Amino acid sequence: MAELAATCLVSEGVRVTLVANRTYERARAIAEELHARALPLDEAWDHFADTDIVLCSTAAPHAVVTWERVAPAVARRGGRPLCILDLGVPRDVEPAVAQLENVFLYDVDDLQAVAAQAAAGRRRDIPAAEHIVSEEVERFWAWYGGLAVVPVLKEFRDRMDRVRAAELERALRRLSHLSPEDRGEIEHFSQALLNKFLHPPTIALKEAAQAGRGYGLLEALKRLFHLERPDGS
């Protein structure tokens, strides 16, 4: 537990300097992972004078960090605060240690209370997060629907423009007596008329796609004007 907690602290920028264990080999193995110095547990007490945070977690059935062991070292701190995190169950730190000057002792119950408070805060943020997700989902489907609309609309307009051009050519062959200016006016009229016919369905289809309801209109348009592709899409 202490090793895991120390690893988390290191990830947040805390520097681990010492690792003490009843078995020196075990202390050295953990210290190497954390780039710290290993020492036997009996030599740890004097370092309470210059350490800012102490993590405690052992399998001992009784308190390991006692007032008698650490009080002399804490007295040399000059009033600098010392934070002790007791992760042991049962407790590794004697309650009397918390009475020493500027020593702040936290056990598992304290940490659970902090975690519960943080979890409650996160739960309060859930409605706002869900609202953000809902908005982004709607935005995605609008974008996705637009991907299908654009090629169909282009094919629709191209198809109608080919019909317009063919009919215009047929009409102009019958009106060969017209001047180039008059022929140009008729072509411009045909293009303007086609645009006016195509504008309402184009707008309606785009708006439906943005609202997530474009699929039905898209399929109707493809069937009505035979826009289905040879591959069946």
Side-chain angles (χ1 to χ4, degrees):
M1 286 296 297
E3 181 181 1
L4 177 61
T7 302
C8 293
L9 289 175
V10 168
S11 69
E12 295 295 328
V14 176
R15 184 168 63 92
V16 177
T17 56
L18 299 171
V19 176
N21 193 281
R22 183 174 55 83
T23 304
Y24 178 75
E25 292 302 322
R26 176 59 177 157
R28 187 172 65 178
I30 297 175
E32 288 177 354
E33 294 179 5
L34 300 174
H35 305 289
R37 182 162 67 92
L39 68 162
L41 187 59
D42 291 340
E43 297 179 13
W45 317 123
D46 196 50
H47 292 281
F48 276 67
D50 47 33
T51 299
D52 296 318
I53 301 174
V54 176
L55 297 176
C56 304
S57 181
T58 74
H62 52 75
V64 176
V65 181
T66 63
W67 189 95
E68 290 79 5
R69 286 172 172 167
V70 302
V74 172
R76 298 197 305 273
R77 296 182 62 83
R80 289 185 298 110
L82 171 62
C83 176
I84 301 178
L85 303 179
D86 184 359
L87 307 180
V89 179
R91 304 290 180 255
D92 281 331
V93 182
E94 193 175 56
V97 173
Q99 304 304 316
L100 295 170
E101 182 183 8
N102 273 352
V103 172
F104 301 91
L105 174 61
Y106 301 95
D107 57 26
V108 173
D109 291 337
D110 297 321
L111 298 179
Q112 286 178 338
V114 172
Q117 184 177 3
R122 289 193 296 271
R123 282 194 294 271
R124 287 194 296 269
D125 292 334
I126 288 177
E130 290 178 338
H131 180 69
I132 293 173
V133 171
S134 178
E135 286 185 337
E136 291 302 319
V137 167
E138 290 181 4
R139 187 174 292 111
F140 169 80
W141 283 118
W143 168 80
Y144 185 76
L147 293 181
V149 165
V150 171
V152 173
L153 279 177
K154 184 178 184 304
E155 186 179 355
F156 175 51
R157 296 182 70 90
D158 289 347
R159 176 75 61 83
M160 294 301 100
D161 191 62
R162 287 195 296 271
V163 172
R164 177 200 65 81
E167 292 301 320
L168 175 65
E169 184 180 359
R170 186 177 296 109
L172 291 178
R173 281 201 300 267
R174 295 195 300 269
L175 301 171
S176 57
H177 62 282
L178 294 178
S179 66
E181 291 78 8
D182 290 339
R183 295 167 69 90
E185 285 295 326
I186 292 176
E187 181 172 3
H188 176 73
F189 168 76
S190 69
Q191 291 175 337
L193 185 62
L194 178 64
N195 287 336
K196 287 189 177 295
F197 279 134
L198 296 182
H199 182 70
T202 298
I203 296 300
L205 190 55
K206 287 183 176 180
E207 289 178 348
Q210 291 175 355
R213 303 188 303 271
Y215 181 78
L217 286 180
L218 197 64
E219 289 301 308
L221 182 68
K222 290 165 67 175
R223 285 180 174 274
L224 286 172
F225 292 92
H226 304 286
L227 301 178
E228 294 85 352
R229 299 176 184 176
D231 61 1
S233 60

